[in-house]
Amino acid sequence: MTTSLVGRKLGSYEIVALLGQGGMATVYKGYRGDIDRYVAVKVLPPHPGLDQQFIDRFKLEARTIARLQHPHILPLYDYGVEDDILYLVMAFIEGGSLANRIDQGPLPLPEIDRLLRQVANALDYAHRQGVIHRDIKPDNILLDKEGNALLADFGIVKISQSGDTLPSLTVTGGLVGTPAYMAPEQGSGSSSVTNGADLYSLGVVVYEMLTGQQPYTADTPMQVVIKHINAPVPNPRDVNENLNSSIVTVMQRILAKEPGERYRTATEFADDFRRAIQGSDVFAAGPVFIPADAAAPLGTSTNPLITPTQVPYPTQPQNPANPTPPQTIIVQPGTNPLLLLGGFAIIAVLLVVVVLVVTGGNRGADTPAATLPPTAQPTTVAAAVTAAPTFGTLSFGQTNQPGDTVTLQVQNLKPPAADQQYVVWLLNTTDDSTLKIGELTLNALGSGAMNAYTDPESRVLPALYNAVAISLEPKASMGDTPAGAVAYSAAVPARVMQTLTALFITAPEGILESALGGGLYESTDDDGDGPHTGLLRSALAEADRARQHAGLAQSAGTIGGMHSHNEHTLNIMNGELVDYAGDGTPENPGFLKGVIYYLDLMQTELLEAANAPGATIRLQSNIEFVRICLDNSRQRVTAIAEHEQQMLAETTDVANVAEVALQSTRLAAALLNGVDANGNGQVDPFEGECGLEQIKTFGPLISTMQLLEGPLPE
């Protein structure tokens, strides 16, 4: 921008000061008087021939950035277009950036660990939303007054799948990013840039935090790019001799030239970095990085829910309030490094050339996973695929019990004729049973919502119905089954109903209903005493017993009493009868199956649903909500067992292990109820957060469906 905007207004924001200017945008300090808030206003450079298509692309990007709601991502408040000026309104942060902090010299290892974990969580979250940042650098990591990191400037993100009804943006024919932090595949103009490029850039940032300098320097930006492509990975100990060999190993892996040799997620990198600075063993080699749109042969992923014929879905969950499928990259022609040299003069001036083009869209949200175009060969040029437009979302929630409530939101529906009305039905594609949800009314734009229909019998509806249909029915009469033409519909595989039945209603392996109302030592054998509960309720029953005995161990006043309850806790969790206390009488005051037993069974059920014929990427992504809660639970069981074993080893005074006992009790409570680790006021399906109780919330979301036009296929 050559003309300052200080003193004028953009929308509701008065521009009061210039904060900074670069090749990508100019940033101003703004003020909104009606809410007394200072903001940062990012103004894009003038675009020649600004037209509606460009404005639509800008709004698409802005909506995508606004969707990224995370404690460590700089929030986007607003955006707009005024007098051919495109602007984004973001939070105003006064603490400076990580670049300012690095200017003071290398950071202490604990501070690097803390900041890395915050940025890693934010970056993995963005990746789960289908967003690749592509310009991770210290200048784009802001620090608030408390010293917490905020990942900023998603202005040149690669929006690989930004929504089901909107076109996608991608980039072709230029360098995107900052040369000093650019992954080799970015610098070479590769068309198959994936999450791994962001991980590499994050590794460069960590290298700079460790050493106070960048790994590669040269006389020109292009020479730096070439070094990232060809030069050996530098050893940070050559600059900072205080680093141990484990840190060097971690840095070599995150800065590997090939994406497949890097860590799979930023959180895995952060976890290994923490192990390294603590002097623990690290993973010198790990799972092969598989792009989210590429089919994975058996053995290339550690995800237990993937078989050779399936596409891997994310190892971390998506935001359940706004579930979106993982990334689908539309491959564009690559650029040879020699050709990039010809454009050196431009790169040297601007550093970054950004070209946003509209592709023909991605595949439909519920296209079966097996139809994804392969991207194993990065040089392949794939034709743009037209997305099947979606017209709304149906999901299940909880009023009295999981899945007894239906929420439907629709948009862009064709208005019915004057004598017709839209009626919503749930369908079971196996036995053709139906449930009438009711009439759907639309506004003038074809949008509408049917919120919180609750089943009067409090049934788990997604265990009974796996499809939805919106039919056109005459206003004069509406029966109990659809009679008119189906205008919109959606479905998940019938196997999902079986999985949800096992989780929430009944399973042969579940604890007997009569046992849950009986004494401590009730058997779970089927002796004709009644039906079995579902797997989740069984797991909760065992976990609650374990929690009780962990608490009794904590409050025990004697070594013998503590050891007795240590034994109880361990046996309940493992479903064993082991004499841990050494008194000759092993006891298990649980239900003799164990928490681990039910975690394994639920995992198996998820595996069956994820691999069912017709399973989609969206379905697999929604299943991830539950899988991550199971994984958290499994880790907590392991940690509890370690604490209980520590207490068993104490033979002198219970006070010596008081802190260990307290931690075990807290973990047992988290096993049931989860933990709000990021302090956002809710327990999310994130690593280290959700527990068994949250499966009641996230389990029904497995059956979330995206409406397509027309009836279900035969």
Side-chain angles (χ1 to χ4, degrees), residues 14 34 43 78 120 129 137 225 276 329 404 433 438 443 453 482 486 499 527 566 575 597 622 659 693-694:
E14 181 182 353
D34 57 345
V43 178
D78 200 356
Q129 310 309 306
K137 58 183 179 181
V225 170
I329 307 297
D404 66 352
S433 58
N443 62 21
Y453 166 86
V486 174
T499 292
D527 53 8
N566 297 150
Y597 174 74
N622 292 338
E659 182 63 27
E693 282 287 345
Q694 282 68 49

Side-chain angles (χ1 to χ4, degrees), residues 421 423 425 434-437 471 473-474 476-484:
Q421 59 186 341
V423 180
W425 314 83
T434 62
L435 174 66
K436 181 170 65 178
I437 301 299
S471 65
E473 305 291 341
S477 61
M478 179 173 58
D480 292 329
T481 58

